[in-house]
Amino acid sequence: MSDVFIVGAGLSRFGRQDGVTGRQMAVTAIQTALADADLTWSDVQIAFGGSDGSGLADTLVADLGLTGIPFTNVKNGCATGGSALVSAINAIRSGAAEVALAVGFDKHPRGAFDPRAEEWGLSEGYGTHGLMVTTQFFAMKITRYMAAHGISDTTLARVAEKAYRNGQLNPNAWRRDPKTIEEIAGSPMVNDPLTQFMFCNPGEGGAAILLASEAVAARMGGRAVAVRAVSTGTRPFGSFEVFSPAVQGEGEPSSVSTEVARRAFETAGVAPADIDVAQLQDTESGAEIMHMSECGFCEDGEQEFMLERGDTEIGGRLPVNTDGGCLANGEPIGASGLRQVHEIVTQLRGEAGDRQVPGDPRLGFTHVYGAPGISACTVLERGRR
């Protein structure tokens, strides 16, 4: 079974791009990744990709070239990009290919997502009563968490403040205007305690990752990043997730992210404390806070002090979402998970410019979470330079 390496990474711009289709953003990301790896489309032997609402990924071959490769469509909510990555990695591990592509893209209209209850295995009444509104779920979950573990409204605002400040340093980000804690806390209330500037927006963008076997990566020089582990999973019994009709079982509700992250660290043979830079799903400020604990980076409640000390800043003990995360980049569903991987690859290569994490980071972690309770995590390691 071959080890797997990331040899190319590419993005389109993120944010509103009038006149540019989601497909065009995907093609831009793929072509950028190919140039990054010094490969051509004909070198790619298998591909996996998807979007939530911008078309079928396999039809991108009409723009890239009709080379006849297998191209599988993936649709897995916010974990679409992460799931495409898992599939590409497994294709190389199995020996089905030596060069594989994972791509994700989307172009969402303005306004909140409008999922239909019946498409998620729920009764129509669940939607009629307003329980398909994702902002409501996130507000309920963080309200419970804040009350149980002493998290303040100021800490919610600090997460968003960091995101917009990091986004200012990212040329591909959508939100590049820094905001103060006071502006964030004082923006219009969406679902108490989460204000407008504490939420990401449905957005636009494309991301692509090229993976290769160890033999191919060895021929390509020293910029490859090793995939130490990848893990994905769906919600267990007793978890409290988006669109969950109720908390089941007894005791404290669990989360899919906890088990998926645990497996990733176990497979990689490292601990959360070994990670030098991380990307965590931040659909809103509370999500980043909860995912810090769910993924093993702290105990419940420690986030209050970590954020106050600046631990998650670019120069902190555990830099989180150095590219601004979903808050600054928006949430094009198909692309978000691969955008995270792109950022970690950029950081481990030492190529992040003004937002570069100091100290020559060696290990990176990505975590994506999507409805109705699916997660994908990776552990990535810098190669020799």
Side-chain angles (χ1 to χ4, degrees), residues 23 27 54-66 71 73 105:
R23 287 173 53 86
V27 170
S54 291
L56 298 173
D58 69 298
T59 65
L60 296 172
V61 298
D63 300 296
L64 297 165
L66 303 177
F71 202 136
N73 292 306
F105 60 100

Side-chain angles (χ1 to χ4, degrees), residues 309-359:
R309 291 193 302 260
D311 287 357
T312 60
E313 299 285 347
I314 288 173
R317 178 171 61 84
L318 176 68
V320 175
N321 294 336
T322 49
D323 65 347
C326 288
L327 289 171
N329 287 278
E331 173 82 290
I333 284 177
S336 283
L338 296 179
R339 172 190 54 77
Q340 293 181 332
V341 175
H342 180 282
E343 177 65 10
I344 294 299
V345 168
T346 303
Q347 290 286 347
L348 297 184
R349 287 173 168 177
E351 298 173 356
D354 291 339
R355 65 182 191 280
Q356 178 63 48
V357 169

Side-chain angles (χ1 to χ4, degrees), residues 3-356:
D3 288 336
V4 182
F5 293 80
I6 295 171
V7 295
L11 291 182
S12 74
R13 284 186 51 247
F14 276 54
R16 300 292 174 210
Q17 301 172 64
D18 293 339
V20 183
T21 68
R23 287 173 53 86
Q24 289 171 321
M25 296 176 204
V27 170
T28 295
I30 293 168
Q31 290 175 337
T32 304
L34 288 168
D36 182 52
D38 196 22
L39 295 173
T40 66
W41 176 243
S42 61
D43 294 315
V44 178
Q45 299 169 339
I46 196 168
F48 302 85
S51 76
D52 186 69
S54 291
L56 298 173
D58 69 298
T59 65
L60 296 172
V61 298
D63 300 296
L64 297 165
L66 303 177
T67 57
I69 65 168
F71 202 136
T72 301
N73 292 306
V74 179
K75 188 171 182 178
N76 232 0
C78 297
T80 292
S83 299
L85 185 74
V86 170
S87 300
I89 289 169
N90 286 340
I92 294 175
R93 284 176 171 171
S94 70
E98 287 199 293
V99 178
L101 167 73
V103 61
F105 60 100
D106 258 308
K107 185 181 179 75
H108 301 299
R110 289 172 172 81
F113 295 119
D114 57 348
R116 298 168 58 87
E118 53 269 31
E119 294 178 356
W120 299 85
L122 300 168
S123 66
E124 183 181 349
Y126 197 74
T128 303
H129 289 86
L131 296 176
M132 296 301 291
V133 180
T134 56
T135 58
Q136 180 171 275
F137 161 78
F138 289 117
M140 288 190 298
K141 188 172 183 180
I142 191 58
T143 295
R144 185 181 189 279
Y145 192 87
M146 290 168 71
H149 302 294
I151 303 296
S152 67
D153 289 345
T154 299
T155 295
L156 288 177
R158 279 200 175 102
V159 171
E161 181 195 33
K162 169 180 66 71
Y164 297 125
R165 186 167 56 250
N166 291 351
Q168 185 183 24
L169 304 176
N170 178 5
N172 288 309
W174 180 10
R175 307 296 192 194
R176 302 193 64 202
D177 297 323
K179 293 176 172 54
T180 66
I181 287 178
E182 292 73 23
E183 287 177 305
I184 293 162
S187 61
M189 186 63 67
V190 178
N191 284 93
D192 193 19
L194 298 169
T195 67
Q196 178 183 349
F197 291 155
M198 294 177 187
F199 277 100
C200 76
N201 290 69
E204 306 178 14
I209 300 294
L210 283 166
L211 303 115
S213 66
E214 185 173 13
V216 170
R219 298 197 298 266
M220 298 180 66
R223 296 177 72 246
V225 170
V227 178
R228 287 283 299 271
V230 62
S231 175
T232 188
T234 54
R235 63 194 187 280
F237 180 81
S239 65
F240 180 43
E241 314 289 358
V242 185
F243 310 149
S244 294
V247 175
Q248 299 170 314
E250 299 179 356
E252 191 69 16
S254 60
S255 171
V256 60
S257 299
T258 301
E259 175 60 19
V260 172
R262 185 196 64 77
R263 289 202 305 263
F265 287 123
E266 184 177 275
T267 300
V270 301
D274 297 320
I275 297 299
D276 300 307
V277 57
Q279 290 281 109
L280 304 178
Q281 179 83 17
D282 61 331
T283 311
E284 37 73 35
S285 294
E288 180 174 317
I289 291 169
M290 291 183 286
H291 291 147
M292 287 169 64
S293 174
E294 290 176 2
C295 293
F297 292 107
C298 65
E299 296 296 325
D300 292 322
E302 287 184 357
Q303 303 96 320
E304 181 81 5
F305 309 104
M306 291 178 68
L307 269 293
E308 186 177 349
R309 291 193 302 260
D311 287 357
T312 60
E313 299 285 347
I314 288 173
R317 178 171 61 84
L318 176 68
V320 175
N321 294 336
T322 49
D323 65 347
C326 288
L327 289 171
N329 287 278
E331 173 82 290
I333 284 177
S336 283
L338 296 179
R339 172 190 54 77
Q340 293 181 332
V341 175
H342 180 282
E343 177 65 10
I344 294 299
V345 168
T346 303
Q347 290 286 347
L348 297 184
R349 287 173 168 177
E351 298 173 356
D354 291 339
R355 65 182 191 280
Q356 178 63 48

